[in-house]
Structure formats: structure tokens, C-alpha cells
Amino acid sequence: MPPRSATDPAPSSLREQSAAEEYRPDPKRWSALSVTLVVGFMSLLDVSIVSVALPSLQRDLAATPATVQWVVSGYALTFGLMLVPAGRLGDAFGRRRLFLIGLAGFVLASAAAGAAPSVAWLVAARLVQGLAAGCLAPQNSALIQQLFRGGERGRAFGLFGATVGISTAVGPVVGGAILGLADGPGGWRWLFYVNVPIGVVAFLLALRLLPRGGGGGRGRIDVVGVLLLGAGALAVLFPLVQAESGGLSRLWWLFLVGAVLVAAFVAWERRVVAHDGQPVFDPRLVTQTRGYGIGAALGTVYFVGFSGIWLVFALFFQTGLGYTPLQSGLAVTPFALGSASAAVVAGRLVERYGRRLTVLGLAGVVVGLTAAAVVLLLVPPSAAGWAIAPALLVGGIGGGFVISPNITMTLRDVPVAMAGSAGGGLQTAQRFGAAIGTAALPGLFHLVLSATGEDYPAAAAAGLAVSVVGALAALALGVVDLRRNRAEDAADAGDVADDGSPVPDERHGPDGVHTHGHAWHG
């Protein structure tokens, strides 16, 4: 069969897409994964690493608190906006190409941020840096889909999940360490400069190791869909990233605008699919791909607490107890260590235990964070840093069994040709959850602090309680998905003829891809 051209129509069903995906193991796949994980760690670390440097940034650049906050929130905003379009571009034009473009942009923007002569320059560089990071992120998960199968894919996603968990948790530690080494005026610039040599080396290695091709060979881009999704995401995210400067009270109406735009985006994408077009995000990923919709929802509610809790801990330890940024980061290191080690183990077990790992992990998170809240309320503040460590370790081990198995279970039945947009959609959902958490939990912390006359343990415990609620909501979704998977697997086990041969089942493509009883007809 001749290769498909960019102008050929897309396959009309998931079976046709799966049949077209012939897998040949790349001998350089583990080396390529190492490069993408280093880059992924670097880009995700930049979400939180800068937060510890905001006081020195504000002083050195003579900036207002509201302006300097954009150094953090601007990066998070453009990061989230770019994920789905970049995933689709990678599917259409090649993941290697998009990865290299994003990495080059990230390195250049990091250098510009480090050399910024003014806060306006720095904010602009951070906006570009966020766009580049959003371009990189979906290529990471898509390349795993492309390069690995079976148990190897689970192990690869385990490493990817460990990278996500560690980078989120250790940002304050790394930031505090860099500021400690680069003490004095302008020391914050090294938070950005450190990306440059790492990024240059990674770029050279990626040129050599990443596989060529890998795109879907479909070069049409749904411009209307990109604009609707971008505008809708901007309307929802903007009040959240402006929360600390009163964005929620001033800009609440943007949530309504965002809801209308997202609804229009969904209607448009359905229309594109109905006319055999190429949507920026195919809604059938949610409605017809086993595990994708509920996995994305689980990731969203989990990240509400998982992302926001680090700001609560930073406020508690630094403002309440007078810790330095490095000491504050070290106090929460047990969670990062537990999460990292458990994520690697979970990657090896996910093919065998599936969604059960996520359920077990979420139960561990609930127990660990609940215990942490109780410890903060009962022990003297001077002993809180040590006393909370065992509870955080338990919560971290649980967290390690959540992120990487959920990524694997959410993306495992996605056609490789759509891996970029699917990964971008999943990470966008997580970014929305993170934006909500980073706005809501510190806000609740300050609210309880004011109501209790600066009772810092009570304020921190309230933030932890919200994280526990988010984990419980994710746990409920995990249990629902586990029960549904068991029911479907039991039904599949009965699909045999009298002679023991399998009965053809529309729910499965030729590679075992499950589509909930529906073929993907355009």
C-alpha cells in the first residue's frame, strides 16, 4: 500500500487508524526517552521554581507585587494555552520537529529571561517560555506512545509520571538551592540561565536520538477550533492566574464567557468530525476511547490539590515558621522522594494491575494528607517540619501510584496517530486543575488565617483538607472506572464461540484498542 499523502482523507474508523500503525521497536528508544524526560523535567520545574525568588525579583526590578506575579502566572497561562494545539501540530507535522522547535524556543526564552533589564522584558520572556514549554509537553507523552508498546510503555509512562511528580514537588527545593549558591543581587537570574546549557545539550542529543516522522501525515489544521479553544481556555484561566491580585472578584464573568466558548468549541469539533475533517481535538477521544474521559477528569480533580498544596506548605513554613526557601523545600522532600520511587515501581506494575494502582495510590494520598493535617494541628510549630515527614512520605508513595498509572490508563487505547492531541488534552485538563488549586488553596489559607487571628497550623490544615477532598473525588472516579473495566473485561471474556474461537467484537480494533462498542465512523 502506498504511503498516505497530507491531502488524503483521515481514516474513517479507529480500526483503520490502528491497522495503519505498524510498530517496529527503535533501538534508541530508551536513550530518546531519557532526553525527553530531562527536557520535560526542566520545563515543568519552571512552573514552580521561580516562586521562591519573587521577593528578590520585585526588589531588583523595582516591580509591584501584581506585576511580578505575572512572572509565575504568565508562564502557567501560556503553557496551558499551547498544549492541545501543539499536540495536534505534532500529530500533523511530526513530533520530533515540534519538540526541537519548542526546545529551541525554550532555551532562547530562558536566556532572555535571565538577561531581562526590566520586569516588562522578564514577563514577555516568560510568556514566550511558557508557549515553548506547552509545545514540548504533549510531544513527551506522544513520543512514548509512538516508541513503546506493552509493558515497556507502562515503564516509560512510569518514568514520565515520576518526572511530573518530582518536578512539581522539588521546584521550591531547587529554586532555594540555586538562590543559596547565587547569593546577592541578580542571583535570581540563574534560575533561568541554568536552562541554557542543559537545553543546548538536550537539543544536540534530540537531533541524534529522536525518530524522524511520527506525525499523522495530515497537514490540515483546524484554525477555527484552535481559536475557539484558545479563547475559551484563556477566559477560564485568566481569572485564576490573577487570583492573588483580585482576579476572581473582578473577572468572574470571564468564566461564563469561557463556558460559552468551550461549548462552541465542542459543537464545532463535532461538526468537523461529521464532515470528515481533522479536528484540533477529536471529541470521540472522550466519548469512544476506553478510559480517556474519566482519566482526564481524574487527573483534573487530583491536580487541584496536588498543585495547590505546595504553595500552602511554602506559606506555612516560610511565613508562619520563618523557614528559608531551601528549608521550606526540604521539609516537603519526603513527598517528592516517595512519589518518585513509587512512580517508577508503578510503571512496572500498571500492565498487570491497571486502575487498581490508581485507587490504591489515591487511598494512600488521602491517608497521608489527612495525617499531615492532624499532625500540624497537634504538634508544636517548632517540631512541625520533622513531625510531618512520615505523613508526607505516605502521601508521596500514594501519589506515585496515581500520576503515571493514570497517564498510562488514560492514553493506552488512543491511536498513535492522535497521541499528541490526546496527550495535550490530558495535560490541559491537569493544567486547569493546577490553576484552580494554586488559586483556591492559598486563598483559603489567607482566609482562615484572618478568621483565626493568624493561626498558621489551622490555615495549613484547611488547605490540606481541600487537597483531601480533591483526592477523594479522584478516588471516586477511579473506583467507577475500575468497576466499569471489570464489567467490560468480564463481558469480553464471554465473547467466544462454541469451539473456543473469539467472536468478532466491534469494541476492539486489531491491536486490542477498545472503543466502547463504537467504531469511529466520520
Side-chain angles (χ1 to χ4, degrees):
M1 178 180 294
R4 296 172 53 83
S5 70
T7 58
D8 286 341
S12 61
S13 72
L14 183 57
R15 288 191 177 200
E16 292 171 3
Q17 291 185 26
S18 299
E21 295 164 4
E22 184 179 355
Y23 175 62
R24 294 187 181 90
D26 189 327
K28 297 183 291 186
R29 59 193 181 279
W30 289 106
S31 298
L33 176 66
S34 299
V35 174
T36 63
L37 291 182
V38 168
V39 173
F41 180 86
M42 183 172 62
S43 62
L44 289 169
L45 189 70
D46 266 49
V47 175
S48 58
I49 191 174
V50 183
S51 59
V52 298
L54 292 185
S56 57
L57 272 169
Q58 184 178 344
R59 181 179 61 253
D60 288 355
L61 298 177
T64 64
T67 303
V68 79
Q69 182 61 34
W70 267 97
V71 176
V72 175
S73 59
Y75 181 88
L77 179 64
T78 52
F79 191 135
L81 290 177
M82 193 63 186
L83 287 167
V84 173
R88 174 68 187 100
L89 287 169
D91 291 339
F93 298 115
R95 290 151 199 148
R96 179 180 184 271
R97 181 180 301 169
L98 264 292
F99 186 90
L100 293 172
I101 291 172
L103 181 53
F106 188 85
V107 170
L108 292 173
S110 296
S118 66
V119 70
W121 179 294
L122 179 58
V123 169
R126 286 285 283 174
L127 291 173
V128 175
Q129 194 184 30
L131 288 172
C135 190
L136 288 166
Q139 314 315 323
N140 275 333
S141 58
L143 283 165
I144 291 176
Q145 293 280 90
Q146 176 183 334
L147 290 171
F148 299 95
R149 295 290 188 277
E152 282 195 345
R153 181 181 286 179
R155 291 193 292 275
F157 272 128
L159 294 170
F160 179 62
T163 300
V164 173
I166 296 172
S167 61
T168 304
V170 306
V173 181
V174 176
I178 292 175
L179 288 177
L181 293 172
D183 195 17
W188 56 268
R189 297 182 185 276
W190 287 100
L191 297 175
F192 305 110
Y193 283 145
V194 72
N195 293 331
V196 176
I198 298 173
V200 169
V201 173
F203 186 90
L204 296 175
L205 290 173
L207 274 175
R208 179 186 174 192
L209 296 172
L210 294 189
R212 295 185 181 274
R218 294 172 287 165
R220 298 174 185 170
I221 299 299
D222 175 17
V223 177
V224 175
V226 169
L227 294 176
L228 284 173
L229 178 61
L234 178 63
V236 174
L237 286 173
F238 190 73
L240 294 172
V241 300
Q242 287 288 90
E244 290 194 19
S245 59
L248 292 177
S249 59
R250 290 184 292 106
L251 303 170
W252 61 267
W253 53 273
L254 280 176
F255 290 124
L256 303 178
V257 175
V260 172
L261 289 170
V262 170
F265 167 74
V266 172
W268 173 261
E269 296 299 272
R270 287 176 175 171
R271 179 180 181 275
V272 171
V273 169
H275 289 80
D276 292 327
Q278 299 162 17
V280 64
F281 181 83
D282 197 315
R284 293 172 296 183
L285 285 168
V286 176
T287 60
Q288 296 183 22
T289 302
R290 183 182 188 182
Y292 185 85
I294 200 165
L298 189 156
T300 302
V301 295
Y302 178 70
F303 266 75
V304 170
F306 177 71
S307 298
I309 198 62
W310 308 116
L311 292 175
V312 170
F313 279 130
L315 289 168
F316 172 72
F317 285 119
Q318 294 183 44
T319 307
L321 304 186
Y323 282 23
T324 66
L326 179 58
Q327 291 171 330
S328 175
L330 290 174
V332 297
T333 298
F335 192 103
L337 293 176
S339 179
S341 57
V344 175
V345 174
R348 296 181 177 273
L349 299 177
V350 68
E351 284 295 314
R352 181 175 181 182
Y353 296 105
R355 185 57 79 187
R356 283 175 287 180
L357 287 180
T358 314
V359 171
L360 176 65
L362 287 166
V365 172
V366 170
V367 171
L369 294 185
T370 301
V374 172
V375 167
L376 290 181
L377 291 172
L378 295 181
V379 305
S382 59
W386 292 105
I388 203 175
L392 289 181
L393 180 62
V394 172
I397 292 172
F401 282 101
V402 175
I403 295 177
S404 60
N406 186 58
I407 293 172
T408 303
M409 297 295 293
T410 304
L411 299 178
R412 67 174 181 173
D413 291 330
V414 171
V416 174
M418 307 180 77
S421 56
L426 173 60
Q427 293 186 62
T428 298
Q430 293 173 349
R431 288 299 104 202
F432 272 110
I436 294 170
T438 53
L441 268 67
L444 177 64
F445 180 92
H446 289 298
L447 183 65
V448 174
L449 203 62
S450 299
T452 58
E454 296 195 353
D455 187 340
Y456 281 93
L464 282 164
V466 175
S467 293
V468 170
V469 171
L472 286 171
L475 178 60
L477 290 172
V479 170
V480 168
D481 194 40
L482 177 61
R483 292 170 63 90
R484 185 173 66 184
N485 287 345
R486 285 177 173 174
E488 290 175 350
D489 290 342
D492 293 345
D495 291 337
V496 294
D498 294 337
D499 61 358
S501 62
V503 174
D505 187 350
E506 283 295 316
R507 287 173 297 185
H508 292 274
D511 297 322
V513 178
H514 201 296
T515 60
H516 279 275
H518 301 284
W520 277 29
H521 296 295

